[in-house]
């Protein structure tokens, strides 16, 4: 049994590295193109981004009496309530009765359903483990209100933490700009990569499996001359035409933002400016460390449910008396427990490795010899570049 499981772990690592190889050139190309953008281009894109703010509902913060005896030190913590800038978000009477408002309402309803049904905290008992709570969040559709698709990729959601509304808004703009530009910068390359690697993409990625399922169902209905309602048909057709590698790439950008939000939920001693903390987080590659220690299905669901781990960062002092930040040992211990449960219950079940469930961390957290940086490293460089160019006038 032990030998068989080890064999499966080797196969799992091989799959992880195969997926890394597929995505690495896309990360490099994407980052290189973004780093050539100037502030005028960034501001022009930002001006067309639709932003709304919402409060997390109390139903999303259900309390749980029982908590693992080993985890008793975890505290409930809530970000202090802030009076958000409501003037910019107010709807005029005209908007409330316009098609735009109806589209917004439909889109937001779809986002809520996504959060409720997909981005949930049921697995790994995350609702018991992750006790910190946000009060409000900002959201924005990447493709516009009229196109309701994959919310994990095409809706940016940024919770408002202790660094406030301005910080959250600037991060939302950054993430939305990066996600929006995916289809402009790497669409052709992603299409070619998917056609060359469709067998592994359709088997080992969630977006690939969804696309294959849609294609198979449409083909089955056609062969059987089976009727299908218009709404289901258009939904299947959209998924069947999706470039699944591109969807996975955009989900990766959203996950990077979710990791940054998790790391910046609370103010840290000596870091009064969110710019200085974010710069140090990116320079220290903490989102990369984060991606290696948490299991799949952790990052996006946690932040989109308004949760975070209290005390996730800690300050440590080096010999030269400079202080730096790192992911806390407390969180690493919890993450290790969650990941062990993930491996036992999801990846290696009955001595079989389940497809699409990777046990060795995000594929893009690994180095590839031809590239001086990791995939996540390239995306972080692009993120930092856009974020800096948005330094002025984020209101």
């Amino acid at each position: 049994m032990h030998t068989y499981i080890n064999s499966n772990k080797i196969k799992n690592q091989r799959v992880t590295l195969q997926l890394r190889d597929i995505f690495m050139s896309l990360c490099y190309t994407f980052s290189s193109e973004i780093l050539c953008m100037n502030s005028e281009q960034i501001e022009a894109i930002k001006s067309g981004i639709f932003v709304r703010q919402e409060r997390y509902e109390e139903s999303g913060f259900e309390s749980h009496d029982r908590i693992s005896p080993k985890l008793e030190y975890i505290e409930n913590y809530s970000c202090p309530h802030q009076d958000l800038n409501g003037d910019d978000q107010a709807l005029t009477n005209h908007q409330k009765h316009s098609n735009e408002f109806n589209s917004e309402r439909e889109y937001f309803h779809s986002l809520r359903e996504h959060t409720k049904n997909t981005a949930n905290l049921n697995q790994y008992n995350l609702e018991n483990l992750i006790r910190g709570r946000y009060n409000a969040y900002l959201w924005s559709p990447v493709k516009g209100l009229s196109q309701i698709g994959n919310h994990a990729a095409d809706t940016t959601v940024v919770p408002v933490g202790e660094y406030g509304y301005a910080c959250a808004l600037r991060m939302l703009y950054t993430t939305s700009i990066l996600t929006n530009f995916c289809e402009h910068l790497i669409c052709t390359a992603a299409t070619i990569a998917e056609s060359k690697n469709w067998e592994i993409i359709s088997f080992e990625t969630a977006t690939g499996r969804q696309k294959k399922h849609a294609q198979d169902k449409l083909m089955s209905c056609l062969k059987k001359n089976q009727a299908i309602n218009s709404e289901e048909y258009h939904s299947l057709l959209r998924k069947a035409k999706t470039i699944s590698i591109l969807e996975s790439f955009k989900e990766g950008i959203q996950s990077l933002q979710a990791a940054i939000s998790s790391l910046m939920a609370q103010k840290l001693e000596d870091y009064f400016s969110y710019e200085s903390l974010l710069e140090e987080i990116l320079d220290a590659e903490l989102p990369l460390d984060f991606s290696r220690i948490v299991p799949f299905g952790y990052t996006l669901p946690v932040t989109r449910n308004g949760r975070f781990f209290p005390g996730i960062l800690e300050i440590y002092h080096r010999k030269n008396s400079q202080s730096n930040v790192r992911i806390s040992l407390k969180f690493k211990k919890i993450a290790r427990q969650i990941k062990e449960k993930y491996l036992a219950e999801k990846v290696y079940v009955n001595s079989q490795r389940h497809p699409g469930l990777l046990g060795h961390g995000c594929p893009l957290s690994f180095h590839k010899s031809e590239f001086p940086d990791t995939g996540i490293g390239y995306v972080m460089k692009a993120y930092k570049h856009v974020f800096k160019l948005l330094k002025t006038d984020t209101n």
Side-chain angles (χ1 to χ4, degrees):
M1 176 75 73
H2 182 71
T3 303
Y4 191 76
I5 291 177
N6 283 342
S7 174
N8 271 291
K9 287 184 178 180
I10 293 172
K11 292 178 183 177
N12 192 305
Q13 188 169 26
R14 189 179 300 125
V15 168
T16 301
L17 296 180
Q18 285 176 306
L19 291 173
R20 175 210 61 185
D21 294 348
I22 293 169
F23 282 96
M24 275 299 297
S25 61
L26 296 180
C27 292
Y28 175 78
T29 302
F30 175 77
S31 179
S32 300
E33 294 285 349
I34 291 291
L35 292 177
C36 293
M37 297 179 70
N38 59 41
S39 58
E40 288 77 15
Q41 292 172 305
I42 294 295
E43 289 300 315
I45 301 166
K46 190 193 84 173
S47 65
I49 295 177
F50 174 100
V51 181
R52 282 287 183 262
Q53 62 182 19
E54 302 289 341
R55 291 190 184 282
Y56 286 105
E57 288 190 350
E58 286 301 318
S59 59
F61 301 144
E62 294 174 357
S63 62
H64 295 265
D65 295 330
R66 187 178 62 81
I67 185 167
S68 170
K70 295 181 180 179
L71 309 176
E72 289 177 353
Y73 57 82
I74 299 179
E75 300 176 352
N76 284 318
Y77 182 90
S78 180
C79 282
H81 170 68
Q82 302 176 56
D83 291 324
L84 302 183
N85 185 359
D87 294 338
D88 295 337
Q89 310 299 324
L91 291 170
T92 66
N93 288 330
H94 171 71
Q95 287 175 309
K96 289 181 179 179
H97 294 90
S98 67
N99 290 331
E100 181 183 359
F101 176 65
N102 290 334
S103 296
E104 178 185 340
R105 183 169 54 186
E106 183 180 355
Y107 193 101
F108 183 62
H109 174 75
S110 175
L111 173 60
R112 291 284 302 279
E113 288 300 305
H114 154 75
T115 303
K116 177 181 177 182
N117 299 321
T118 305
N120 62 72
L121 300 182
N122 293 334
Q123 55 184 344
Y124 327 131
N125 287 324
L126 292 181
E127 69 276 11
N128 285 334
L129 298 179
I130 314 302
R131 311 290 284 184
R133 300 172 178 178
Y134 295 99
N135 284 303
Y137 63 97
L138 307 178
W139 66 273
S140 177
V142 173
K143 294 182 176 180
L145 293 170
S146 61
Q147 300 186 52
I148 301 177
N150 176 10
H151 286 295
D154 290 320
T155 305
T156 304
V157 177
V158 178
V160 181
E162 289 188 354
Y163 282 102
Y165 175 84
C167 175
L169 182 61
R170 194 163 155 194
M171 291 194 294
L172 178 135
Y173 280 137
T174 300
T175 303
S176 291
I177 288 169
L178 291 175
T179 310
N180 179 276
F181 257 75
C182 279
E183 298 191 46
H184 300 283
L185 300 179
I186 59 172
C187 182
T188 301
T191 303
I192 295 171
E194 182 156 311
S195 65
K196 289 182 177 180
N197 301 280
W198 177 238
E199 185 175 353
I200 187 171
I201 292 296
S202 64
F203 194 66
E204 293 289 354
T205 69
T207 54
R209 290 196 300 276
Q210 290 169 4
K211 177 177 180 176
K212 187 175 187 306
H213 172 76
Q215 291 176 335
D216 291 346
K217 188 165 184 178
L218 286 172
M219 185 62 68
S220 176
C221 291
L222 181 64
K223 287 181 178 180
K224 296 178 181 178
N225 197 24
Q226 182 179 342
I228 184 171
N229 69 64
S230 177
E231 184 177 348
E232 183 181 4
Y233 171 77
H234 287 295
S235 175
L236 289 171
L237 189 63
R238 177 185 59 77
K239 292 177 182 178
K241 290 182 176 181
T242 294
I243 305 172
S244 56
I245 286 182
L246 204 58
E247 294 296 293
S248 295
F249 196 96
K250 289 188 289 185
E251 286 186 19
I253 294 173
Q254 299 289 357
S255 292
L256 171 62
Q257 177 56 64
I260 292 171
S261 292
S262 294
L263 295 170
M264 295 186 63
Q266 295 173 284
K267 285 187 175 181
L268 201 61
E269 182 184 356
D270 298 332
Y271 289 88
F272 303 104
S273 162
Y274 67 82
E275 289 100 334
S276 60
L277 178 58
L278 177 58
E279 183 174 8
E280 185 152 333
I281 284 173
L282 294 177
D283 288 347
E285 296 191 325
L286 297 190
L288 178 63
D289 293 343
F290 188 85
S291 71
R292 287 172 172 167
I293 64 176
V294 299
F296 273 64
Y298 175 95
T299 311
L300 272 180
V302 167
T303 55
R304 293 201 170 187
N305 276 274
R307 299 293 186 95
F308 62 88
F309 187 91
I312 194 170
L313 288 185
E314 61 186 15
I315 296 176
Y316 71 100
H317 298 277
R318 297 187 295 183
K319 291 182 179 179
N320 59 6
S321 72
Q322 287 183 327
S323 56
N324 292 90
V325 294
R326 64 184 178 190
I327 297 175
S328 69
L329 299 179
K330 181 190 295 186
F331 178 75
K332 286 185 176 181
K333 178 180 179 181
I334 295 298
R336 184 165 55 250
Q337 294 177 12
I338 296 172
K339 197 162 189 175
E340 287 173 356
K341 186 173 183 180
Y342 160 76
L343 290 170
E345 296 184 1
K346 301 288 185 180
V347 183
Y348 305 114
V349 181
N350 298 324
S351 299
Q352 297 290 330
R353 190 190 73 82
H354 282 205
L357 297 173
L358 306 176
H360 292 273
C362 174
L364 294 180
S365 66
F366 289 79
H367 281 274
K368 182 174 169 59
S369 58
E370 304 96 295
F371 297 90
D373 208 341
T374 63
I376 292 176
Y378 283 121
V379 179
M380 283 194 296
K381 284 183 173 66
Y383 186 102
K384 185 175 180 179
H385 178 73
V386 174
F387 189 86
K388 281 190 171 182
L389 292 181
L390 284 165
K391 190 167 186 177
T392 59
D393 185 24
T394 56
N395 294 315

